């Protein structure tokens, strides 16, 4: 019975371990993606922060400008940095999740300004001179960008909101992973404790079984000795009785 119970609990432990490790691996992969997303916004937040002001002041700045433009392309809104190295770094770090969030956030914050002051470009049309960093042209590519650098306060606030959303996603997933880990540790300790109890009970039963077997063997050995003695006594009795019968017959006849 203990063997069946031990096997059942051990199977449950293995099953729960595999389930936990599978969930943890999936969450770890998701966490890596979310941290990569957050790293992009950390980088953008740093390079778009208004110079010469603290964070609170930059959030309400009306005159400061950032070394970047907001552009609208076929695929959505994006940032175009004046420094090519910075632009290359952002493109290298860019993830699908961040690109989608940027498109949505920049669209909400700057769409009206684009409609009012952006300059449309297309292949075959000479663009107006602007400090915009342009990508290699495509046959049907078009791009509209702000006239000059954008207001750093507005841009920084926009990026701050997105950073907060992605930071919350990281924190929530890390908290969930911590809860899962705590739950698994508690379950593992409980199941291991059950295995210890079953092992202890099995050891006690094995000790009792060994004692019983020893007692049985001792009794069997004693019984065998008694059987031999009884057989020997029977032989002696029959021999003596034969002698007695012969003597009686001799006396009577």
């Amino acid at each position: 019975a203990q063997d069946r119970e031990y096997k059942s609990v051990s199977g449950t432990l293995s099953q729960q371990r595999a389930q936990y490790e599978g969930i943890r691996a999936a969450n770890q992969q998701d966490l890596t993606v979310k941290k990569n997303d957050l790293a992009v916004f950390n980088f953008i937040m740093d390079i778009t922060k208004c110079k010469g002001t603290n964070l609170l002041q930059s959030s309400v700045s009306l005159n400061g400008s950032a070394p970047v433009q907001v552009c609208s392309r076929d695929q959505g809104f994006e940032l175009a940095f004046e420094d090519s190295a910075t632009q290359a770094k952002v493109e290298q770090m860019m993830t699908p999740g961040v690109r989608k969030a940027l498109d949505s956030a920049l669209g909400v914050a700057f769409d009206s300004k684009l409609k009012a002051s952006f300059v449309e470009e297309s292949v075959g049309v000479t663009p107006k001179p602007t400090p915009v960093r342009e990508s290699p042209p495509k046959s049907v590519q078009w791009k509209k960008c702000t006239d000059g650098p954008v207001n750093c306060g507005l841009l920084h606030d926009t990026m701050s909101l997105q950073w907060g959303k992605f930071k919350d996603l990281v924190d929530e997933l890390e908290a969930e992973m911590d809860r899962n880990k705590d739950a698994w540790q508690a379950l593992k300790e409980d199941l291991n404790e059950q295995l210890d109890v079953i092992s202890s009970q099995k050891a006690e039963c094995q000790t009792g079984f060994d004692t019983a077997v020893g007692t049985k063997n001792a009794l069997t050995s004693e019984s065998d000795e008694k059987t031999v003695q009884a057989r020997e006594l029977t032989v002696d009795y029959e021999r003596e009785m034969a002698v007695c019968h012969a003597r009686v017959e001799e006396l009577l006849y």
Side-chain angles (χ1 to χ4, degrees), residues 140-160:
V140 292
Q141 178 173 298
W142 60 272
K143 179 175 68 174
K144 296 191 299 183
C145 297
T146 52
D147 250 342
V150 299
N151 178 280
C152 69
L154 177 59
L155 180 60
H156 195 273
D157 279 353
T158 301
M159 295 300 100
S160 295

Side-chain angles (χ1 to χ4, degrees), residues 35-251:
K35 284 187 173 181
N36 289 340
D37 291 343
L38 184 61
V40 180
F41 280 107
N42 281 331
F43 183 73
I44 294 176
M45 285 275 291
D46 183 60
I47 59 181
T48 59
K49 184 176 181 180
C50 299
K51 300 185 185 306
T53 60
N54 59 37
L55 182 59
L56 179 61
Q57 291 171 330
S58 68
S59 66
V60 296
S61 173
L62 297 177
N63 300 318
S65 63
V68 61
Q69 290 182 307
V70 176
C71 295
S72 176
R73 294 181 181 273
D74 295 8
Q75 61 269 33
F77 293 91
E78 63 181 23
L79 295 175
F81 293 90
E82 295 178 1
D83 180 61
S84 59
T86 300
Q87 185 69 37
K89 178 68 174 179
V90 171
E91 291 298 330
Q92 181 183 11
M93 298 176 65
M94 189 63 65
T95 66
V98 171
R99 194 178 300 278
K100 182 178 180 180
L102 276 177
D103 176 37
S104 176
L106 294 175
V108 171
F110 294 95
D111 186 43
S112 60
K113 294 178 176 57
L114 282 168
K115 291 178 180 178
S117 62
F118 280 8
V119 178
E120 184 172 350
E121 303 172 4
S122 62
V123 175
V125 177
T126 302
K128 296 180 181 180
T130 66
V132 175
R133 188 197 66 83
E134 297 185 27
S135 301
K138 298 179 181 179
S139 59
V140 292
Q141 178 173 298
W142 60 272
K143 179 175 68 174
K144 296 191 299 183
C145 297
T146 52
D147 250 342
V150 299
N151 178 280
C152 69
L154 177 59
L155 180 60
H156 195 273
D157 279 353
T158 301
M159 295 300 100
S160 295
L161 290 174
Q162 295 305 310
W163 178 89
K165 292 178 181 179
F166 279 82
K167 183 64 167 62
D168 287 345
L169 293 176
V170 170
D171 292 342
E172 289 170 4
L173 183 54
E174 287 181 333
E176 179 184 345
M177 293 176 70
D178 288 340
R179 290 193 298 270
N180 290 344
K181 182 180 180 180
D182 292 341
W184 161 242
Q185 289 295 335
L187 178 61
K188 182 174 68 172
E189 290 176 4
D190 179 62
L191 293 175
N192 281 328
E193 184 177 351
Q194 291 183 44
L195 291 176
D196 290 339
V197 171
I198 295 172
S199 296
S200 178
Q201 292 175 344
K202 181 181 178 181
E204 292 178 1
C205 290
Q206 186 64 46
T207 299
F209 177 77
D210 293 341
T211 301
V213 170
T215 302
K216 176 185 176 183
N217 291 338
L219 292 174
T220 299
S221 177
E222 184 179 356
S223 175
D224 292 342
E225 292 178 1
K226 297 297 183 181
T227 299
V228 172
Q229 291 177 2
R231 188 179 300 113
E232 291 175 349
L233 288 174
T234 298
V235 171
D236 291 341
Y237 172 77
E238 290 176 349
R239 184 176 62 252
E240 291 298 326
M241 287 301 294
V243 172
C244 289
H245 283 302
R247 184 63 177 169
V248 169
E249 288 180 358
E250 182 182 347
L251 292 174

Side-chain angles (χ1 to χ4, degrees), residues 2-18 184 187-188 190-196 198-199:
Q2 280 82 12
D3 287 340
R4 290 195 301 271
E5 188 175 1
Y6 188 95
K7 184 177 181 180
S8 175
V9 175
S10 181
T12 300
L13 179 60
S14 298
Q15 181 182 9
Q16 292 298 321
R17 177 184 288 108
W184 161 242
L187 178 61
K188 182 174 68 172
D190 179 62
L191 293 175
N192 281 328
E193 184 177 351
Q194 291 183 44
L195 291 176
D196 290 339
I198 295 172
S199 296

